Amino acid sequence: MAEFFTSENLIALLTLSALEIVLGIDNIVFISILVAKLPKAQQSGARRLGLLLAMGMRIGLLLAITWVMGLTKPLFALFEHAFTGRDLILLGGGLFLVAKATYEIHDKLEGHAHAGGAAPQTASYGAILVQIMLLDIVFSLDSVITAVGMAKHVGVMIAAVVIAVMVMMMAAGRISTFIERHPTMKMLALSFLLLIGVVLIADGFGQHVSKGYIYFAMAFSLFVEVLNLRVRGKGKGKGKGAEPPVQLHQRYAPEN
């Protein structure tokens, strides 16, 4: 136990926890968009269960660390690239994420127009959980490989994952509400997922794209959209309390 509380392990724990939270943002966004299709009464429970599944998946992969590292061994070569088990998982996850994000964007733009005014359909609880688990595998694999490269103690990695998921659980509800309240923010979130899916596919083909560039682009887009929301909010506030403009012909019309 004393070996755990060393300065090196504590620094690794703090750094890894922060990194796990950042890497978990895309997971929160994906879960938030999926559970929005459920009835309101089930959404909170589905979010918590989805994040608990993500935590369980990551801890399980950490405990099976030998198997995870074995995924980096080449299986076959194609297009002058040696594919590994990790590459295949990233490719599958990336394709699924691109397809899902594209479908959701199409549904957001065209779904209501084709529905003919009918009430929006809710998805089944089981189907949503299956989709969450599929993407949890991809996000967890990427997260675990990052953790292995940063910390040497498995206990530190597990503690960082638990801390990150607890923080995400506290923030997930607010993020979901914010995304659902602002349609443009939901479209931006879906665009993020589409971008992440493309990055996963590129990574699967051996074309590594630094996550720093991706998260910077996402943060900048989010910053611009928040400014737009503030400007629109101020415009509504001014319009609400202001008196209607007086036309010139009314102001200078002769009195009877």
Side-chain angles (χ1 to χ4, degrees), residues 20 23-32 34-35 45-62 67-68 71 89-90 92-94 96-97 100 126-145 161 165 168-169 193 196 200:
E20 289 287 335
L23 291 175
I25 291 173
D26 45 14
N27 208 351
I28 293 177
V29 171
F30 181 76
I31 292 174
S32 299
L34 281 182
V35 300
R47 273 196 305 269
R48 285 195 296 268
L49 185 55
L51 288 171
L52 285 173
L53 286 172
M55 182 174 71
M57 199 85 68
R58 293 179 189 187
I59 292 174
L61 288 173
L62 284 171
W67 176 79
V68 171
L71 291 175
I89 293 175
L90 291 179
F96 176 77
L97 201 54
K100 184 64 181 175
I128 295 297
L129 285 183
V130 168
Q131 293 180 64
I132 289 174
M133 286 180 66
L134 287 174
L135 258 296
D136 275 346
I137 293 172
V138 180
F139 291 141
S140 297
L141 183 67
D142 206 27
S143 172
V144 166
I145 291 175
V161 168
V165 171
M168 287 190 285
M169 278 187 176
L193 292 178
I196 292 168
L200 290 176

Side-chain angles (χ1 to χ4, degrees), residues 23-35 90 93-105 131 135 138-139 175 179 185-201 214-215 218:
L23 291 175
I25 291 173
D26 45 14
N27 208 351
I28 293 177
V29 171
F30 181 76
I31 292 174
S32 299
I33 290 173
L34 281 182
V35 300
L90 291 179
L95 289 171
F96 176 77
L97 201 54
V98 168
K100 184 64 181 175
T102 303
Y103 172 80
E104 292 293 336
I105 290 173
Q131 293 180 64
L135 258 296
V138 180
F139 291 141
I175 292 174
I179 290 174
M185 196 62 72
K186 186 172 184 178
M187 191 60 64
L188 186 62
L190 287 169
S191 301
F192 289 166
L193 292 178
L194 191 62
L195 175 62
I196 292 168
V198 172
V199 169
L200 290 176
I201 294 172
I214 304 302
Y215 287 122
M218 290 167 62

Side-chain angles (χ1 to χ4, degrees), residues 152-163:
K152 300 177 182 178
H153 200 291
V154 176
V156 172
M157 302 179 204
I158 293 176
V161 168
V162 173
I163 292 172

